[in-house]
Amino acid sequence: ERIVQRTRALGAEPVVLILPAPVDLDSEPVPVLIDAYRNELKELADRHRLLLVDGPAVFTESSATNADFYDQVHPSVSGHRLLGDALARVLARTEQKD
């Protein structure tokens, strides 16, 4: 909430990026704690009408693999490209509405 308020006070509009993780590529469900955190981010975006990039969905739709990560947290160059392209699409859709 504070980040949204401070960002808007500076005259900018925040974007919520839900980061993917290799656990999203598993056949098992995402751990409860990770799922709860991501749901809170989605609710924050909804409450404040923020742009949202759902990284796990982007990686699933793109058939990402473990090669799209350096480790259990950080996307690789190809993973960052997937996220960057998704962000560009979200921003482009917003510009078209204006």
Side-chain angles (χ1 to χ4, degrees), residues 64-76:
T65 68
N66 282 320
D68 294 304
F69 294 95
Y70 285 126
D71 54 30
Q72 294 302 311
V73 177
H74 301 96
S76 64

Side-chain angles (χ1 to χ4, degrees), residues 13-86:
E13 191 62 23
V15 175
V16 174
L17 169 62
I18 300 174
L19 293 172
V23 69
D24 296 312
L25 307 177
D26 294 342
S27 59
E28 298 294 316
V30 173
V32 173
L33 187 61
I34 294 172
D35 195 45
Y37 175 70
R38 290 173 173 174
N39 284 332
E40 182 60 33
L41 289 173
K42 289 175 186 175
E43 291 172 14
L44 175 81
D46 191 49
R47 274 194 309 275
H48 292 280
R49 296 184 176 158
L50 302 175
L51 297 177
L52 173 71
V53 177
D54 186 339
V58 168
F59 272 47
T60 298
E61 293 162 6
S62 301
S63 300
T65 68
N66 282 320
D68 294 304
F69 294 95
Y70 285 126
D71 54 30
Q72 294 302 311
V73 177
H74 301 96
S76 64
V77 171
S78 60
H80 276 96
R81 187 174 299 113
L82 291 172
L83 292 173
D85 289 346

